[in-house]
Every structure is written in structure tokens, then in C-alpha cells.
Amino acid sequence: MFGKKIKIFKLFGFEVWIDFSWIFIAVLIVWSLSGSLFPRVYEGLTPKVYWTMGVLGAVGLFLSIIFHEFSHSLVARRYGLPMKGITLFIFGGVAEMGEEPRRPKAEFMMAAAGPAASLVVGLVFWGVSGLGKLFGWPRPVTGVLGYISSINFLLAAFNLVPAFPLDGGRILRSILWGWKNNLRWATRISSRIGSAFGIALIILGVLNVLNGNFVGGMWWFLIGMFLNGAAKSAHQQLVTRQLLEGEPVRRFMKTNPVTAPPTISVKQFVEDYVYRHHFKMFPIVEGARILGCVTTKQIKEIPQEEWNHAKVGDLAAQCSPSNSISPETDAVKALAIMNSSGASRLMVIEGDRLVGVLALKDLLEFLSLKVELEG
């Protein structure tokens, strides 16, 4: 989902990241607030005041989204769900879960926490803004407070639309799940509604563009595209997880993997292993002991003039949870590791011994066959 991102802080054990796409939307928000909204609503102020209001309004939106996502994360942790962190990106923010809720109640409470938090923030700032007007605070101050109140009400309302993967769609899924005790059916229904809602936003965007509102139309169009794709992806991910759940890695691993010795040069490794077998990762084995692995990404970092002298063993990355797994581990966890690390192959090890290699393509072939045979 995300491109390059930077960590900005850590709170309550949750890391908060900003995707580079957020920088674009932050600039757009400041420009829209200071150049359009605030001058139209609060006439007669100086450009410097409008820009200050725009920056403060954008910061308020930024903190509101973080508070919204923190609420999801805290409730998710309360129900034992591992959280990877919070990332702000072009379409807002997302609390990244390590796994999906196991019970309808957990999903309902986690999903409802975000809109509830936004509603509370909206009410607090509405009350403070009202007090400010009563006591004669400057218009720019009450204007920014009022904007933060309004944007939180909008944030709560939009997220309560019953279209997966919005919070309202997750609430709907939890209700359907609890009613029929069928998570796949509940996900299919809620994701179809989410996809339809995304298509409706795409159509709205196109109509706005045709009517001359290019910026607003493109924004609705992009949000619609994102929601439509996310809804379909959510259903596919659930089906994948249910088909693989309970299957051990041992079932899919290759027990006679191609391995390389640590003593050969990088040049020989490239010629005899990479170009011959076309893998992007090779385990490095000495005798019966696994030393680690070498990837094509590591090789690219070595200047070609040094390939004759550099030894593969010196490059080997040690076995870690990001490149290795035990044979009894659930295949769902293996797929999650591949997804988070970007690896297409994992070493399967027992103690200090390599027992196999798990390839992403083998998991996908199994899924394809199972869907074809069982539906």
C-alpha cells in the first residue's frame, strides 16, 4: 500500500510513520485552507493571517487523524491484536494490524473506536470554539478551532459509511459475521458494498471534472479508486488466509534447495548460481550448518570490480525472522513475513540446519489449485 515513509515518533508503544504521499496532501490542504476556505469565510484578514490559519488547520487535521488511528490501535491491543504502527498517507491514515480480529466483538469495538474518538474531538473543539466566541477571542483563533471541530465531524461521518474497508464497513462486517457466524460471507457482502461505494465516488469525480471542478473531481476519483481496490483486496486476502490457515510450511517447502558454499567469489556465485537457477536468494551452507543467505539485492551493492575478490561468505546475512522460518510454522505467517519483508523465498531451518526453502510461487500455485478444485 505504501511507498517510502519516515518515522516521526513513538507513543504508547506504537510507531507513527508518514508516507511521502502525505507531504503532497499536507501542502494541498494548507494551500486550500489559506487560499480559499478561510478567506471566503473570514473576510478582511491579511494574507499572513490566512497562511497561519491554514498551517494550524492542517496541523489540527494531522493530529486528529493520528488520534483517530490511535483509538483503533489501543482497542485492538486491548483485544490482543498485534499492531505494526500507524501510517499517514495521501488518503488519510491507517492503523496497520499484524492480523485480522478473531471475533466479531473485537472487530466491532476496534472499528467503532475511531469514529467515536473523532466525534469526541469534534464536540470538544466545538465547545471551545463556542466559548471563544462568547469571550471575544480573535476570529482567526475561533476560525481554526471551528475548522478542527468540523473536520472531525466529517471524519467520523465519512468513516461510518458502511463500505469496507472504512470503519463503517468493518462495523457492518462484524454485525453480519456475528449474525451468520461466517466471516467469508460477511467480508464478501461488506467488500461488495465498499467496491460499489468506490465506483460511485469515481463517477462523482468524473461528473465534477466535466462540470469544471477539476481538483475536487480528481480527488473524489482517486479516493474512489483507492476504496474500490482496497475492498476487493480485503476479500482476496481473507480467502487466501482461510485457504492457507492451518497448513504447515513443511508441506510447501522444497527439501533439496540449491545452496552455495561460503568460499566462492561473488563473480562465481553470480555466474554459477544466480544466472543458472534464476533465484533472488540462496542459502549459504558450510557442511551441514546454515550460515545465512545472500540475495541479489546484496550483490548489487558490491561494485563489479570487486566481484572477483569478495567472498560470498562475507556477505551472508544471518538467519533472522525476516528471512527464515521453522517447518511447523503456519503458512499464513510465512506469507505475512514475505509480504512485510518483500522476500519471495524464505529459508526453512531447524536449529542450525537448513531443511528446505519456501517459495512464494509454490504457495500461490497451491492457492490457485485449491480455488479451482474447491471454489
Side-chain angles (χ1 to χ4, degrees):
M1 179 185 294
F2 307 115
K4 293 183 178 180
K5 57 184 183 178
I6 55 175
K7 179 181 173 181
I8 53 175
F9 64 86
K10 185 175 183 179
L11 185 63
F12 302 129
F14 301 116
E15 294 180 343
V16 179
W17 300 77
I18 290 184
D19 186 81
F20 280 1
S21 62
W22 172 259
I23 298 174
F24 166 77
I25 193 60
V27 172
L28 181 62
I29 290 170
V30 172
W31 176 72
S32 299
L33 293 178
S34 59
S36 178
L37 178 64
F38 288 138
R40 186 174 69 250
V41 178
Y42 304 98
E43 298 179 353
L45 303 175
T46 64
K48 181 179 179 181
V49 172
Y50 288 134
W51 280 105
T52 302
M53 293 174 69
V55 170
L56 292 176
V59 170
L61 173 59
F62 168 86
L63 294 176
S64 296
I65 293 174
I66 289 179
F67 186 74
H68 180 105
E69 300 302 333
F70 257 112
S71 301
H72 286 311
S73 300
L74 289 170
V75 174
R77 186 163 67 182
R78 166 69 177 79
Y79 283 93
L81 295 171
M83 302 300 296
K84 298 179 181 179
I86 295 168
T87 300
L88 302 178
F89 69 118
I90 190 169
F91 296 115
V94 61
E96 300 177 73
M97 293 185 294
E99 62 183 56
E100 289 290 324
R102 295 289 179 177
R103 292 180 297 152
K105 181 181 178 181
E107 168 134 90
F108 181 91
M109 298 302 292
M110 184 197 68
S118 295
L119 184 61
V120 169
V121 173
L123 289 171
V124 168
F125 275 87
W126 176 76
V128 174
S129 175
L131 287 175
K133 292 176 182 178
L134 185 63
F135 289 106
W137 292 0
R139 284 196 302 157
V141 174
T142 57
V144 171
L145 293 173
Y147 167 76
I148 296 174
S149 171
S150 300
I151 204 67
N152 273 278
F153 287 140
L154 287 173
L155 191 62
F158 183 75
N159 274 280
L160 282 174
V161 174
F164 199 87
L166 295 177
D167 296 336
R170 284 189 171 274
I171 291 172
L172 173 63
R173 184 174 78 161
S174 70
I175 295 171
L176 296 175
W177 181 8
W179 176 34
K180 292 280 191 177
N181 194 29
N182 188 328
L183 178 57
R184 188 185 296 189
W185 174 78
T187 303
R188 184 170 66 249
I189 298 299
S190 55
S191 62
R192 282 179 178 175
I193 296 174
S195 181
F197 182 62
I199 292 172
L201 291 182
I202 292 172
I203 295 172
L204 177 63
V206 171
L207 292 176
N208 270 270
V209 170
L210 294 177
N211 287 329
N213 182 12
F214 181 79
V215 175
M218 283 302 298
W219 190 238
W220 286 120
F221 180 86
L222 291 173
I223 292 176
M225 289 286 289
F226 169 74
L227 290 177
N228 182 46
K232 291 179 179 179
S233 175
H235 185 240
Q236 292 169 353
Q237 289 173 6
L238 175 71
V239 171
T240 298
R241 189 173 70 251
Q242 290 190 331
L243 290 176
L244 285 178
E245 202 165 30
E247 301 285 358
V249 165
R250 186 183 295 278
R251 177 173 181 178
F252 307 103
M253 69 183 189
K254 291 289 189 291
T255 56
N256 56 341
V258 178
T259 64
T263 54
I264 63 173
S265 68
V266 170
K267 183 174 179 58
Q268 185 181 351
F269 172 76
V270 170
E271 294 292 339
D272 295 346
Y273 290 86
V274 178
Y275 291 160
R276 181 180 177 183
H277 299 286
H278 312 148
F279 299 143
K280 292 187 177 182
M281 184 277 288
F282 290 85
I284 307 301
V285 176
E286 186 174 41
R289 188 166 63 94
I290 179 73
L291 301 180
C293 65
V294 170
T295 65
T296 52
K297 184 178 180 180
Q298 290 173 274
I299 299 298
K300 285 175 62 178
E301 297 174 355
I302 306 296
Q304 288 194 27
E305 57 269 20
E306 298 180 13
W307 283 11
N308 277 321
H309 310 291
K311 298 296 183 184
V312 168
D314 297 331
L315 303 180
Q318 294 184 345
C319 299
S320 68
S322 64
N323 61 25
S324 58
I325 200 166
S326 77
E328 304 306 326
T329 302
D330 197 296
V332 172
K333 182 176 180 180
L335 194 61
I337 292 173
M338 289 179 173
N339 183 52
S340 62
S341 65
S344 59
R345 305 179 84 221
L346 294 176
M347 296 181 291
V348 185
I349 60 175
E350 283 184 325
D352 62 352
R353 189 170 61 91
L354 180 75
V355 295
V357 166
L358 178 69
L360 177 61
K361 68 179 183 64
D362 293 327
L363 291 177
L364 297 180
E365 286 175 1
F366 170 79
L367 286 171
S368 177
L369 286 171
K370 195 161 187 177
V371 169
E372 181 180 343
L373 293 175
E374 299 181 17

